[in-house]
Amino acid sequence: MRSLRASLTRACNFKCIFCHSEGMPKEEDGLLRIKHYEVISQAFKLLDVESIKFTGGEPLLRKDVVEVVSVFSEFPDVSMTTNGYLLNDKACNLLEAGLKRVNVSLHSLKPNRFAYITGTSPSSFERVLTGIKTAKECGLRVALNFVLLKGINDDEAIDIIEFAAKNGFNLHIIELHPVGKGAQAFSSLHNQLDAVKRYLEERSDYKRTRDLHNRPQYYINGIVVELVEPVGNPYFCAGCTRLRLSPEGLLYPCLNINDIHVNLRAIIDKSESFEEALENVIDAILYLNDLRKPYYMWNLDFEKKVKIRTKPPFRSWLPKRAKLQFRRSHTNTVKGRDEERLRNSPSRG
Ligand code: SAM
Ligand code: SF4
C-alpha cells in the first residue's frame, strides 16, 4: 500500500515514558494550514496513493483536525493514531469528515499502570475507554496499539489480546523503538515480541503477512493481532511504502531519516496558483520518492532472499515521469547528503 503518514502536531497532552513529547502547543504558526493540505491531498491523489494516516504528537489537539481530515476524505484508507483522550468529543465528527478507522494507544488495562506509562492521572484510563466506546458506536473501525515494555506491562500481553477479542478490536502489539525518549529507555524497557509470537503461533487459526512492512498478522478469536517489529528488521523496511509529512510541511522518505526532506509548505507558498503549486508538489514528491531506500539493509541479499518488492517501493512505487521538473527555486528545501546530487541532476528544469 502506498501511504502517507502525516503528523498534525508535535505537541501532546500525554507524557509517555517511551515517547518524545513537546508538551501542549503554545502557538500554531508554522503548521500546515488547510490550503496547504488541499494541494498536498490532490497531489497524493493524482499519484494514486491509497492510504493516509494522521498521527502526532497527538493529532486530536489540533483545533481544525476535523477539517484537515475532510480534505483527505476521498482516499480509500484514512486512519488516525491517537491517545484517545479527546476522542469522545470528536469521534463522530471525524467519521463524518471521512475518517474510516482509528488506532487508540492502550498500553495497560490497569488504571494506575496506564497513568504511570502515559504520565497522566488514573482517571485518564476511563476517559480513553469512553473515547474508544464512542468511536465504536459512531461506526469507526477501532484497533488498539499496545507497546510492550519490559518489567512494566509485559505481563499483560495475553490480557490485552483477550480484551481486544472480547470487544471486536484488532490489535497491534508494538516493539519499543529507539526513537525520541524511546532511545534513552531502550536498554531498560525494550522487550522482544518472541513470547507473544509463540503464544499466537500456537493458538491462532490462521497467519498471514501484511504487505505493509511485512508485518505478521494472526487471526485469533475473531480479531487480527498484528506484530510491529521494526528494530533491526530489514524485512520490515523492505515492505515499507510510507512517506512521512511533518506538521510544518517537511516531507521525509522514512520515519528514521531526518537529513533528507523537501519543504512542501515553502513550495506551495512560493507558487502563484493552485495549479502551479500542485505541479511543483508532485515533482517534489517524485523527487523525494526517488531517494527512498531501506533503513535496515544489513545481511540482506535483496536479489535472492527478498523476492518481495526488490525494486518498489524504494524507487518506483509512484508513476514514472519522463522528466522531473524540480525547480531551481526549490533546491534549498532539500537538505543533507543529497544536495549535491540534486545540484548535478540533469533533470532540473
Ligand atoms: N499520540 C498518539 C498516540 O499515542 O497514539 C499518536 C502518536 S504516537 C507517536 C503513535 C504510536 O506510536 C502510539 O501507539 C505510540 O504508543 C507509539 N510509540 C511512540 N513512541 C514509541 C516508541 N519509542 N516505540 C514504540 N512505539 C512508540
Ligand atoms: Fe503523546 Fe502519543 Fe507520545 Fe504518548 S505516545 S507522549 S500520547 S505522542
Side-chain angles (χ1 to χ4, degrees):
M1 185 175 293
R2 301 144 178 190
S3 68
L4 175 69
R5 181 190 161 101
S7 291
L8 294 189
T9 170
R10 290 179 189 278
C12 192
N13 45 355
F14 281 19
K15 289 191 171 59
C16 296
I17 54 174
F18 54 83
C19 176
H20 181 70
S21 148
E22 297 193 357
M24 293 293 281
K26 291 194 181 65
E27 43 83 26
E28 294 194 337
D29 284 352
L31 297 189
L32 288 173
R33 313 305 331 167
I34 296 297
K35 65 169 187 174
H36 300 110
Y37 283 117
E38 281 169 349
V39 178
I40 291 168
S41 169
Q42 185 65 14
F44 278 102
K45 210 166 122 205
L46 290 172
L47 292 168
D48 286 338
V49 164
E50 293 166 8
S51 172
I52 308 291
K53 170 163 299 287
F54 298 107
T55 180
E58 174 46 43
L60 295 182
L61 283 178
R62 261 195 82 131
K63 292 188 182 68
D64 59 353
V65 62
V66 173
E67 208 178 343
V68 177
V69 168
S70 71
V71 173
F72 292 84
S73 62
E74 287 177 23
F75 286 82
D77 180 40
V78 188
S79 68
M80 179 177 289
T81 304
T82 170
N83 61 31
Y85 193 77
L86 300 170
L87 194 55
N88 185 42
D89 291 345
K90 298 194 173 164
C92 300
N93 291 340
L94 288 167
L95 179 84
E96 269 173 38
L99 196 74
K100 272 120 193 147
R101 55 191 184 90
V102 69
N103 283 51
V104 185
S105 298
L106 195 69
H107 308 304
S108 175
L109 294 169
K110 300 174 196 279
N112 286 331
R113 200 183 266 188
F114 180 85
Y116 171 73
I117 293 171
T118 57
T120 57
S121 67
S123 63
S124 60
F125 176 75
E126 271 309 318
R127 191 170 161 142
V128 171
L129 283 191
T130 305
I132 290 173
K133 190 164 164 266
T134 304
K136 185 182 173 185
E137 284 167 5
C138 288
L140 281 166
R141 277 155 55 205
V142 177
L144 304 178
N145 279 10
F146 177 86
V147 177
L148 192 75
L149 302 165
K150 183 158 75 182
I152 294 189
N153 65 2
D154 48 2
D155 57 346
E156 284 191 75
I158 295 173
D159 293 347
I160 193 87
I161 293 171
E162 286 173 357
F163 175 84
K166 191 170 143 215
N167 291 284
F169 303 141
N170 290 339
L171 173 66
H172 294 175
I173 300 186
I174 305 170
E175 169 188 32
L176 183 67
H177 334 321
V179 296
K181 273 192 198 162
Q184 296 136 40
F186 192 73
S187 58
S188 54
L189 298 185
H190 178 253
N191 210 343
Q192 305 275 4
L193 304 187
D194 295 359
V196 183
K197 198 180 285 178
R198 277 197 300 278
Y199 176 88
L200 292 167
E201 291 280 350
E202 279 167 20
R203 286 159 208 259
S204 60
D205 303 320
Y206 173 66
K207 179 188 173 186
R208 71 185 284 273
T209 302
R210 184 178 174 189
D211 281 350
L212 179 71
H213 297 144
N214 290 302
R215 298 178 184 188
Q217 290 186 320
Y218 297 87
Y219 288 68
I220 180 167
N221 298 340
I223 61 161
V224 181
V225 179
E226 182 168 300
L227 300 186
V228 185
E229 300 172 284
V231 180
N233 181 358
Y235 292 92
F236 189 92
C237 293
C240 185
T241 54
R242 270 189 181 162
L243 294 177
R244 161 188 159 215
L245 181 66
S246 80
E248 301 83 10
L250 303 183
L251 185 72
Y252 296 88
C254 169
L255 189 63
N256 290 314
I257 292 176
N258 289 315
D259 59 348
I260 304 172
H261 60 256
V262 287
N263 188 337
L264 298 187
R265 184 185 170 121
I267 289 170
I268 294 165
D269 286 345
K270 277 186 204 159
S271 302
E272 286 179 4
S273 64
F274 184 92
E275 288 69 28
E276 186 185 323
L278 183 59
E279 192 183 327
N280 292 339
V281 165
I282 288 176
D283 286 343
I285 295 169
L286 288 168
Y287 170 80
L288 190 85
N289 182 60
D290 206 37
L291 301 177
R292 289 169 67 81
K293 59 184 177 206
Y295 184 72
Y296 287 113
M297 324 195 36
W298 43 255
N299 290 341
L300 197 65
D301 181 340
F302 261 79
E303 294 308 320
K304 291 201 185 114
K305 287 193 192 141
V306 184
K307 292 269 185 270
I308 40 169
R309 296 177 285 278
T310 54
K311 288 201 178 69
F314 297 110
R315 301 201 70 78
S316 57
W317 57 261
L318 293 170
K320 281 242 180 283
R321 286 206 150 187
K323 196 174 175 216
L324 191 63
Q325 296 170 334
F326 199 77
R327 287 159 201 249
R328 191 178 296 266
S329 59
H330 301 142
T331 56
N332 62 357
T333 66
V334 179
K335 298 269 183 240
R337 59 178 173 259
D338 289 284
E339 210 158 5
E340 188 61 30
R341 184 194 145 136
L342 178 64
R343 202 172 295 127
N344 297 326
S345 165
S347 63
R348 281 179 58 205

PDB file of all heavy atoms in Angstrom, residues 18-19 55-59 81-83 105 107 145 147 174-177 179 182, ligand 1:
ATOM      1  N   PHE A  18       8.093   6.427  27.078  1.00  0.00           N
ATOM      2  CA  PHE A  18       8.964   5.951  25.999  1.00  0.00           C
ATOM      3  C   PHE A  18       8.879   6.827  24.758  1.00  0.00           C
ATOM      4  O   PHE A  18       9.377   6.467  23.706  1.00  0.00           O
ATOM      5  CB  PHE A  18       8.573   4.523  25.620  1.00  0.00           C
ATOM      6  CG  PHE A  18       7.112   4.407  25.289  1.00  0.00           C
ATOM      7  CD1 PHE A  18       6.642   4.734  24.041  1.00  0.00           C
ATOM      8  CD2 PHE A  18       6.203   4.006  26.267  1.00  0.00           C
ATOM      9  CE1 PHE A  18       5.296   4.664  23.756  1.00  0.00           C
ATOM     10  CE2 PHE A  18       4.855   3.931  25.978  1.00  0.00           C
ATOM     11  CZ  PHE A  18       4.395   4.258  24.714  1.00  0.00           C
ATOM     12  N   CYS A  19       8.207   7.981  24.860  1.00  0.00           N
ATOM     13  CA  CYS A  19       7.955   8.760  23.639  1.00  0.00           C
ATOM     14  C   CYS A  19       8.393  10.191  23.830  1.00  0.00           C
ATOM     15  O   CYS A  19       8.271  10.766  24.893  1.00  0.00           O
ATOM     16  CB  CYS A  19       6.475   8.711  23.296  1.00  0.00           C
ATOM     17  SG  CYS A  19       6.047   9.728  21.871  1.00  0.00           S
ATOM     18  N   THR A  55      -1.257  11.282  12.537  1.00  0.00           N
ATOM     19  CA  THR A  55      -0.678  10.909  13.822  1.00  0.00           C
ATOM     20  C   THR A  55      -0.071  12.166  14.456  1.00  0.00           C
ATOM     21  O   THR A  55      -0.484  13.273  14.170  1.00  0.00           O
ATOM     22  CB  THR A  55       0.326   9.748  13.617  1.00  0.00           C
ATOM     23  OG1 THR A  55       0.876   9.389  14.875  1.00  0.00           O
ATOM     24  CG2 THR A  55       1.434  10.074  12.640  1.00  0.00           C
ATOM     25  N   GLY A  56       0.874  12.013  15.358  1.00  0.00           N
ATOM     26  CA  GLY A  56       1.431  13.183  16.020  1.00  0.00           C
ATOM     27  C   GLY A  56       2.788  12.860  16.609  1.00  0.00           C
ATOM     28  O   GLY A  56       3.438  11.953  16.094  1.00  0.00           O
ATOM     29  N   GLY A  57       3.085  13.516  17.733  1.00  0.00           N
ATOM     30  CA  GLY A  57       2.255  14.222  18.690  1.00  0.00           C
ATOM     31  C   GLY A  57       0.846  13.625  18.794  1.00  0.00           C
ATOM     32  O   GLY A  57       0.613  12.489  18.437  1.00  0.00           O
ATOM     33  N   GLU A  58      -0.036  14.428  19.305  1.00  0.00           N
ATOM     34  CA  GLU A  58      -1.420  13.979  19.448  1.00  0.00           C
ATOM     35  C   GLU A  58      -2.286  14.723  18.421  1.00  0.00           C
ATOM     36  O   GLU A  58      -2.526  15.931  18.567  1.00  0.00           O
ATOM     37  CB  GLU A  58      -1.882  14.224  20.889  1.00  0.00           C
ATOM     38  CG  GLU A  58      -3.338  13.933  21.134  1.00  0.00           C
ATOM     39  CD  GLU A  58      -3.822  12.604  20.541  1.00  0.00           C
ATOM     40  OE1 GLU A  58      -3.109  11.588  20.660  1.00  0.00           O
ATOM     41  OE2 GLU A  58      -4.901  12.586  19.930  1.00  0.00           O
ATOM     42  N   PRO A  59      -2.763  14.017  17.393  1.00  0.00           N
ATOM     43  CA  PRO A  59      -3.468  14.698  16.297  1.00  0.00           C
ATOM     44  C   PRO A  59      -4.739  15.411  16.751  1.00  0.00           C
ATOM     45  O   PRO A  59      -5.110  16.448  16.194  1.00  0.00           O
ATOM     46  CB  PRO A  59      -3.796  13.565  15.314  1.00  0.00           C
ATOM     47  CG  PRO A  59      -3.643  12.294  16.082  1.00  0.00           C
ATOM     48  CD  PRO A  59      -2.637  12.567  17.147  1.00  0.00           C
ATOM     49  N   THR A  81      -3.971   7.667  14.414  1.00  0.00           N
ATOM     50  CA  THR A  81      -3.481   7.073  15.654  1.00  0.00           C
ATOM     51  C   THR A  81      -3.552   8.139  16.734  1.00  0.00           C
ATOM     52  O   THR A  81      -3.024   9.239  16.555  1.00  0.00           O
ATOM     53  CB  THR A  81      -2.030   6.570  15.491  1.00  0.00           C
ATOM     54  OG1 THR A  81      -1.988   5.662  14.395  1.00  0.00           O
ATOM     55  CG2 THR A  81      -1.557   5.844  16.738  1.00  0.00           C
ATOM     56  N   THR A  82      -4.205   7.810  17.840  1.00  0.00           N
ATOM     57  CA  THR A  82      -4.448   8.820  18.889  1.00  0.00           C
ATOM     58  C   THR A  82      -4.307   8.197  20.273  1.00  0.00           C
ATOM     59  O   THR A  82      -4.470   6.983  20.431  1.00  0.00           O
ATOM     60  CB  THR A  82      -5.869   9.428  18.735  1.00  0.00           C
ATOM     61  OG1 THR A  82      -6.165  10.222  19.888  1.00  0.00           O
ATOM     62  CG2 THR A  82      -6.944   8.368  18.606  1.00  0.00           C
ATOM     63  N   ASN A  83      -4.047   9.061  21.258  1.00  0.00           N
ATOM     64  CA  ASN A  83      -4.030   8.544  22.633  1.00  0.00           C
ATOM     65  C   ASN A  83      -5.454   8.409  23.186  1.00  0.00           C
ATOM     66  O   ASN A  83      -5.653   7.897  24.280  1.00  0.00           O
ATOM     67  CB  ASN A  83      -3.157   9.404  23.558  1.00  0.00           C
ATOM     68  CG  ASN A  83      -3.637  10.848  23.676  1.00  0.00           C
ATOM     69  OD1 ASN A  83      -4.835  11.136  23.581  1.00  0.00           O
ATOM     70  ND2 ASN A  83      -2.696  11.758  23.902  1.00  0.00           N
ATOM     71  N   SER A 105      -4.068   4.119  21.398  1.00  0.00           N
ATOM     72  CA  SER A 105      -2.999   3.533  22.204  1.00  0.00           C
ATOM     73  C   SER A 105      -3.538   3.151  23.573  1.00  0.00           C
ATOM     74  O   SER A 105      -4.112   3.987  24.279  1.00  0.00           O
ATOM     75  CB  SER A 105      -1.850   4.535  22.359  1.00  0.00           C
ATOM     76  OG  SER A 105      -1.328   4.824  21.086  1.00  0.00           O
ATOM     77  N   HIS A 107      -1.826   1.006  26.559  1.00  0.00           N
ATOM     78  CA  HIS A 107      -0.640   0.234  26.926  1.00  0.00           C
ATOM     79  C   HIS A 107      -0.811  -0.543  28.214  1.00  0.00           C
ATOM     80  O   HIS A 107       0.107  -1.221  28.660  1.00  0.00           O
ATOM     81  CB  HIS A 107       0.572   1.161  27.049  1.00  0.00           C
ATOM     82  CG  HIS A 107       0.770   2.017  25.835  1.00  0.00           C
ATOM     83  ND1 HIS A 107       0.899   1.493  24.570  1.00  0.00           N
ATOM     84  CD2 HIS A 107       0.827   3.363  25.693  1.00  0.00           C
ATOM     85  CE1 HIS A 107       1.039   2.479  23.695  1.00  0.00           C
ATOM     86  NE2 HIS A 107       0.993   3.605  24.356  1.00  0.00           N
ATOM     87  N   ASN A 145      -3.384  -0.036  19.997  1.00  0.00           N
ATOM     88  CA  ASN A 145      -1.920  -0.119  19.944  1.00  0.00           C
ATOM     89  C   ASN A 145      -1.406  -0.404  21.346  1.00  0.00           C
ATOM     90  O   ASN A 145      -1.759   0.323  22.292  1.00  0.00           O
ATOM     91  CB  ASN A 145      -1.316   1.211  19.480  1.00  0.00           C
ATOM     92  CG  ASN A 145      -1.359   1.388  17.976  1.00  0.00           C
ATOM     93  OD1 ASN A 145      -1.991   0.612  17.269  1.00  0.00           O
ATOM     94  ND2 ASN A 145      -0.690   2.405  17.485  1.00  0.00           N
ATOM     95  N   VAL A 147       2.240  -0.983  23.223  1.00  0.00           N
ATOM     96  CA  VAL A 147       3.708  -1.071  23.162  1.00  0.00           C
ATOM     97  C   VAL A 147       4.184  -1.926  24.338  1.00  0.00           C
ATOM     98  O   VAL A 147       3.894  -1.612  25.504  1.00  0.00           O
ATOM     99  CB  VAL A 147       4.362   0.339  23.210  1.00  0.00           C
ATOM    100  CG1 VAL A 147       5.885   0.220  23.222  1.00  0.00           C
ATOM    101  CG2 VAL A 147       3.917   1.185  22.027  1.00  0.00           C
ATOM    102  N   ILE A 174       3.364  -3.719  19.700  1.00  0.00           N
ATOM    103  CA  ILE A 174       4.482  -2.968  19.107  1.00  0.00           C
ATOM    104  C   ILE A 174       5.735  -3.117  19.963  1.00  0.00           C
ATOM    105  O   ILE A 174       5.700  -2.961  21.184  1.00  0.00           O
ATOM    106  CB  ILE A 174       4.103  -1.463  18.993  1.00  0.00           C
ATOM    107  CG1 ILE A 174       2.795  -1.308  18.208  1.00  0.00           C
ATOM    108  CG2 ILE A 174       5.218  -0.664  18.354  1.00  0.00           C
ATOM    109  CD1 ILE A 174       2.219   0.108  18.237  1.00  0.00           C
ATOM    110  N   GLU A 175       6.842  -3.382  19.280  1.00  0.00           N
ATOM    111  CA  GLU A 175       8.141  -3.410  19.948  1.00  0.00           C
ATOM    112  C   GLU A 175       8.602  -1.960  20.182  1.00  0.00           C
ATOM    113  O   GLU A 175       8.414  -1.104  19.305  1.00  0.00           O
ATOM    114  CB  GLU A 175       9.099  -4.126  18.978  1.00  0.00           C
ATOM    115  CG  GLU A 175      10.542  -4.071  19.310  1.00  0.00           C
ATOM    116  CD  GLU A 175      11.396  -4.646  18.170  1.00  0.00           C
ATOM    117  OE1 GLU A 175      11.018  -4.541  16.981  1.00  0.00           O
ATOM    118  OE2 GLU A 175      12.446  -5.198  18.495  1.00  0.00           O
ATOM    119  N   LEU A 176       9.177  -1.694  21.327  1.00  0.00           N
ATOM    120  CA  LEU A 176       9.712  -0.353  21.592  1.00  0.00           C
ATOM    121  C   LEU A 176      10.794  -0.021  20.565  1.00  0.00           C
ATOM    122  O   LEU A 176      11.667  -0.844  20.291  1.00  0.00           O
ATOM    123  CB  LEU A 176      10.320  -0.320  23.002  1.00  0.00           C
ATOM    124  CG  LEU A 176      10.873   1.017  23.475  1.00  0.00           C
ATOM    125  CD1 LEU A 176       9.768   2.044  23.665  1.00  0.00           C
ATOM    126  CD2 LEU A 176      11.656   0.849  24.772  1.00  0.00           C
ATOM    127  N   HIS A 177      10.723   1.191  19.973  1.00  0.00           N
ATOM    128  CA  HIS A 177      11.780   1.597  19.035  1.00  0.00           C
ATOM    129  C   HIS A 177      12.702   2.596  19.747  1.00  0.00           C
ATOM    130  O   HIS A 177      12.235   3.397  20.556  1.00  0.00           O
ATOM    131  CB  HIS A 177      11.287   2.322  17.776  1.00  0.00           C
ATOM    132  CG  HIS A 177       9.904   2.031  17.316  1.00  0.00           C
ATOM    133  ND1 HIS A 177       9.338   0.793  17.340  1.00  0.00           N
ATOM    134  CD2 HIS A 177       8.988   2.861  16.741  1.00  0.00           C
ATOM    135  CE1 HIS A 177       8.117   0.882  16.818  1.00  0.00           C
ATOM    136  NE2 HIS A 177       7.877   2.109  16.472  1.00  0.00           N
ATOM    137  N   VAL A 179      13.614   5.525  19.351  1.00  0.00           N
ATOM    138  CA  VAL A 179      13.464   6.893  18.840  1.00  0.00           C
ATOM    139  C   VAL A 179      12.922   7.773  19.964  1.00  0.00           C
ATOM    140  O   VAL A 179      12.230   7.301  20.857  1.00  0.00           O
ATOM    141  CB  VAL A 179      12.505   6.979  17.624  1.00  0.00           C
ATOM    142  CG1 VAL A 179      13.030   6.228  16.435  1.00  0.00           C
ATOM    143  CG2 VAL A 179      11.105   6.479  17.984  1.00  0.00           C
ATOM    144  N   GLY A 182      12.282   6.971  23.632  1.00  0.00           N
ATOM    145  CA  GLY A 182      12.480   5.530  23.489  1.00  0.00           C
ATOM    146  C   GLY A 182      13.949   5.166  23.368  1.00  0.00           C
ATOM    147  O   GLY A 182      14.362   4.058  23.732  1.00  0.00           O
TER     148      GLY A 182
HETATM  149  N1  SAM B   1      -0.295  10.422  20.364  1.00  0.00           N
HETATM  150  C1  SAM B   1      -0.808   9.348  19.596  1.00  0.00           C
HETATM  151  C2  SAM B   1      -0.728   8.024  20.344  1.00  0.00           C
HETATM  152  O1  SAM B   1      -0.049   7.976  21.367  1.00  0.00           O
HETATM  153  O2  SAM B   1      -1.346   7.084  19.900  1.00  0.00           O
HETATM  154  C3  SAM B   1      -0.214   9.228  18.210  1.00  0.00           C
HETATM  155  C4  SAM B   1       1.267   9.395  18.077  1.00  0.00           C
HETATM  156  S1  SAM B   1       2.246   8.089  18.712  1.00  0.00           S
HETATM  157  C5  SAM B   1       3.865   8.673  18.276  1.00  0.00           C
HETATM  158  C6  SAM B   1       1.902   6.758  17.588  1.00  0.00           C
HETATM  159  C7  SAM B   1       2.116   5.390  18.157  1.00  0.00           C
HETATM  160  O3  SAM B   1       3.489   5.159  18.337  1.00  0.00           O
HETATM  161  C8  SAM B   1       1.454   5.160  19.508  1.00  0.00           C
HETATM  162  O4  SAM B   1       0.753   3.941  19.545  1.00  0.00           O
HETATM  163  C9  SAM B   1       2.607   5.135  20.448  1.00  0.00           C
HETATM  164  O5  SAM B   1       2.343   4.357  21.569  1.00  0.00           O
HETATM  165  C10 SAM B   1       3.706   4.565  19.598  1.00  0.00           C
HETATM  166  N2  SAM B   1       5.065   4.953  20.031  1.00  0.00           N
HETATM  167  C11 SAM B   1       5.504   6.168  20.386  1.00  0.00           C
HETATM  168  N3  SAM B   1       6.811   6.132  20.694  1.00  0.00           N
HETATM  169  C12 SAM B   1       7.212   4.850  20.514  1.00  0.00           C
HETATM  170  C13 SAM B   1       8.445   4.166  20.674  1.00  0.00           C
HETATM  171  N4  SAM B   1       9.552   4.800  21.054  1.00  0.00           N
HETATM  172  N5  SAM B   1       8.470   2.845  20.404  1.00  0.00           N
HETATM  173  C14 SAM B   1       7.357   2.197  20.008  1.00  0.00           C
HETATM  174  N6  SAM B   1       6.160   2.787  19.833  1.00  0.00           N
HETATM  175  C15 SAM B   1       6.092   4.093  20.093  1.00  0.00           C
END
